[in-house]
Amino acid sequence: MREAVIVSTARTPIGRAYRGAFNDTQAQQLGAHAVRHAVTRAGVDPAEIEDVVMGAALQQGSTGTNVARQVALAAGLPSSAPGMSLDRQCASGLMGIATAAKQVVFDQQKMAIGGGLESISLVQNQHMNLYRMKDEALLTLSPHIYMSMLETAEVVARRYNISRDAQDEYALQSQQRTAQAQAEGRFDAEIVPMTTRMLVMDKTTGQTSSQEVTLAKDEGNRPDTTLEGLQSLKPVFGGGEEIQQGEFITAGNASQLSDGASASVIMEAGEAVKRNLQPLGAYRGMAVAGCEPDEMGIGPVFAVPKLLKRHGLTMDDIGIWELNEAFAVQVLYCRDKLGIPNDRLNVSGGAVSIGHPYGMSGARMAGHVLIEGKRRGAKYGVVTMCIGGGMGAAGLFEIY
């Protein structure tokens, strides 16, 4: 039986959307940076890459040309390397890795690249103003299908009685864990610093200029965060059709809008042996599930049990968990419902403190679970997340 192993991973640092280092950097260039360095770290000939599979929630590029193909070319891969773009919203990057792995296992590919990317800075404003965004006929069948993720987080908090205090306390934990991980250099094996040009506005004159910057670490973490500061923030949701006024979700206990990309080189296990490569781990499988759109944040509670059952594992078998922190409220619900030990969950913080480039996050989390999982002596790691529209995804990795 063929096996898919991950022989290298590389990612950009994560920049703050709109006002961070990557606010004028194309998604294609973010993705190319990650792909180029993943290939270099693997020590393989770029001409051997048989496919580049990249997830993105907000596709960036001209009509008819998928962003993964553009990334492959921008990374300097030969024109023989094709590309495929995937969209499962916040699970897009995980889907990129899973799909590349399946092509290695089932389609006889020798090696492929899987990953994800997002430039919220350059795409989201345009994307959110598209003409005729909603299918009115679909709304009659699924009234909550277009509910904003922010509103669904308010629904989860109210429906499952998760207090504002608990959410703020979790957000503080995320900030503290990320600060500690950065101080200990636990992201260094993933990140490749990136030099680019950033747009900077002069607050006095209002003039915008472009300046060269090099980002070497994730720039969203706020290590000086205090519980009192989090508790002082006002809810950001101003009211909608379902919830007239926000009560729980603030800028402090929700994920940050961000830009970034991550990629991994995935190879058939026998091929890695021939090349005397030491893989980070192996892709073992993935499960997806649906839930009600108005509580999309709880998707992992449906995906994780399916994943574990299929592989004959229990919660106790999983040594490290990465659960995307779209909102503190949904992490708390999923953690407690599934029974995930807090000391094995998001051990280096998550999207609340690191940032959440939608399509990148799943790929970043997979790379981190392999590297950090090895440091902690874990045999299995799970990457899981909620997904816009009412879904959950969970991927299983064996750590070498």
Side-chain angles (χ1 to χ4, degrees):
M1 177 67 179
R2 290 170 64 90
E3 293 182 295
V5 296
I6 297 89
V7 297
S8 71
T9 190
R11 70 174 179 92
T12 69
I14 295 177
R16 294 180 179 178
Y18 310 120
R19 53 197 175 88
F22 297 146
N23 68 356
D24 196 34
T25 302
Q26 291 284 130
Q28 293 93 328
Q29 293 304 317
L30 295 171
H33 184 78
V35 166
R36 187 182 308 117
H37 287 280
V39 171
T40 298
R41 287 177 170 181
V44 300
D45 183 346
E48 296 182 282
I49 302 298
E50 296 189 59
D51 205 358
V52 176
V53 187
M54 299 294 286
L58 307 174
Q59 292 286 323
Q60 184 172 1
S62 61
T63 302
T65 307
N66 75 73
V67 71
R69 171 61 169 169
Q70 296 177 51
V71 164
L73 295 174
L77 301 187
S79 58
S80 58
M84 175 170 60
S85 303
L86 300 176
D87 172 14
R88 201 191 288 274
Q89 295 297 286
C90 297
S92 298
L94 181 60
M95 288 301 306
I97 289 177
T99 301
K102 291 168 187 174
Q103 292 186 157
V104 166
V105 172
F106 297 106
D107 295 334
Q108 307 298 309
Q109 289 186 5
K110 185 163 55 178
M111 67 184 76
I113 290 173
L117 75 167
E118 210 75 66
S119 170
I120 290 176
S121 290
L122 299 183
V123 179
Q124 181 151 298
N125 286 339
Q126 172 189 354
H127 178 82
M128 298 304 289
N129 292 318
L130 290 178
Y131 174 68
R132 198 180 290 179
M133 291 179 64
K134 297 181 179 180
D135 180 343
E136 297 298 329
L138 175 58
L139 278 170
T140 64
L141 298 174
S142 183
H144 302 123
I145 188 63
Y146 297 116
M147 180 181 280
S148 72
M149 289 192 288
L150 182 58
E151 194 169 1
T152 68
E154 289 280 350
V155 169
V156 170
R158 297 178 189 211
R159 187 169 292 170
Y160 298 104
N161 299 313
I162 300 174
S163 71
R164 165 72 186 271
D165 283 347
Q167 295 173 54
D168 288 342
E169 288 166 3
Y170 180 84
L172 178 62
Q173 173 184 283
S174 183
Q175 294 285 356
Q176 292 173 335
R177 287 185 173 183
T178 295
Q180 181 179 357
Q182 286 184 330
E184 295 175 357
R186 288 196 266 128
F187 296 116
D188 294 353
E190 308 162 25
I191 292 175
V192 182
M194 184 173 181
T195 299
T196 187
R197 300 199 68 81
M198 173 186 178
L199 294 180
V200 179
M201 178 180 287
D202 187 303
K203 293 182 180 179
T204 303
T205 65
Q207 295 296 312
T208 299
S209 62
S210 176
Q211 67 181 45
E212 183 175 279
V213 296
T214 297
L215 190 61
K217 69 174 187 176
D218 302 325
E219 63 178 350
N221 179 227
R222 301 181 181 92
D224 58 350
T225 299
T226 64
L227 185 59
E228 293 74 22
L230 290 168
Q231 292 172 334
S232 71
L233 297 174
K234 294 181 179 180
V236 296
F237 185 69
E241 295 179 0
E242 297 292 325
I243 296 176
Q244 296 307 309
Q245 186 59 47
E247 182 180 353
F248 298 96
I249 312 305
T250 72
N253 60 34
S255 57
Q256 300 179 44
L257 299 178
S258 314
D259 308 318
S262 178
S264 294
V265 173
I266 299 161
M267 186 180 293
E268 202 283 316
E271 188 67 27
V273 171
K274 289 179 184 177
R275 296 165 184 257
N276 199 30
L277 298 177
Q278 179 57 54
L280 300 171
Y283 167 82
R284 292 304 184 207
M286 185 167 175
V288 294
C291 62
E292 290 299 328
D294 71 343
E295 55 178 23
M296 69 92 202
I298 73 171
V301 305
F302 303 104
V304 167
K306 290 174 68 173
L307 178 74
L308 297 182
K309 183 178 180 180
R310 288 173 181 172
H311 293 273
L313 299 174
T314 68
M315 296 294 295
D316 292 339
D317 293 318
I318 309 304
I320 186 170
W321 297 80
E322 284 284 316
L323 198 164
N324 190 40
E325 295 174 357
F327 301 94
V329 62
Q330 51 87 207
V331 179
L332 289 170
Y333 177 82
C334 295
R335 180 195 69 184
D336 296 344
K337 185 71 173 178
L338 290 167
I340 301 174
N342 194 58
D343 63 353
R344 297 184 183 183
L345 173 66
N346 296 352
V347 295
S348 303
V352 167
S353 53
I354 297 174
H356 182 22
Y358 311 133
M360 174 204 193
S361 287
R364 177 197 73 79
M365 293 156 65
H368 190 68
V369 87
L370 291 169
I371 294 171
E372 183 63 18
K374 180 176 182 178
R375 193 181 78 86
R376 292 170 178 262
K379 181 178 181 180
Y380 292 109
V382 167
V383 175
T384 184
M385 64 273 292
C386 60
I387 305 168
M391 293 179 282
L396 177 67
F397 296 88
E398 185 173 351
I399 301 162
Y400 291 165

